[in-house]
Amino acid sequence: MSTDAAISVHAAYRMRDQANGGVETSESGTANAEIGAFLNEIGLSADAIRYFTFAGPSEELLNNTPEIAPALSIDVYIQKGTSKNCPDLATAV
């Protein structure tokens, strides 16, 4: 991530046509379960998975920044130009 990166996330949802011509959005339990299973397979923590699938379709996106990612047990590599600062993997849990 760059120092000013902000990756926004929200739960998976579906859009359904309504009889009145409008569109209704609702969270998809199946899609969020699949996303959670994939994130688990690549090693993300339960806290990260909950965070990534928390905000619903009518809520604001949640940011994942260089400051938030470590709180979710996500190793962050900070890129500045052509150099990068790697996390101390010796202390990673």
Side-chain angles (χ1 to χ4, degrees):
M1 295 180 140
S2 67
T3 55
D4 60 351
I7 301 167
S8 300
V9 297
H10 63 72
Y13 65 94
R14 62 181 158 250
M15 298 173 68
R16 293 185 175 166
D17 293 330
Q18 294 182 310
N20 65 5
V23 177
E24 176 186 43
T25 58
S26 62
E27 290 182 44
S28 171
T30 301
N32 283 301
E34 290 180 14
I35 290 168
F38 171 75
L39 295 175
N40 181 62
E41 283 183 28
I42 63 171
L44 266 63
S45 68
D47 287 339
I49 294 167
R50 279 190 290 272
Y51 186 81
F52 280 30
T53 58
F54 181 78
S58 61
E59 299 173 298
E60 289 195 31
L61 296 172
L62 298 176
N63 285 330
N64 183 20
T65 65
E67 294 77 29
I68 293 171
L72 299 172
S73 301
I74 299 172
D75 293 331
V76 179
Y77 293 71
I78 302 298
Q79 183 172 350
K80 294 181 182 177
T82 58
S83 66
K84 65 181 173 185
N85 178 12
C86 300
D88 181 4
L89 297 179
T91 60
V93 178

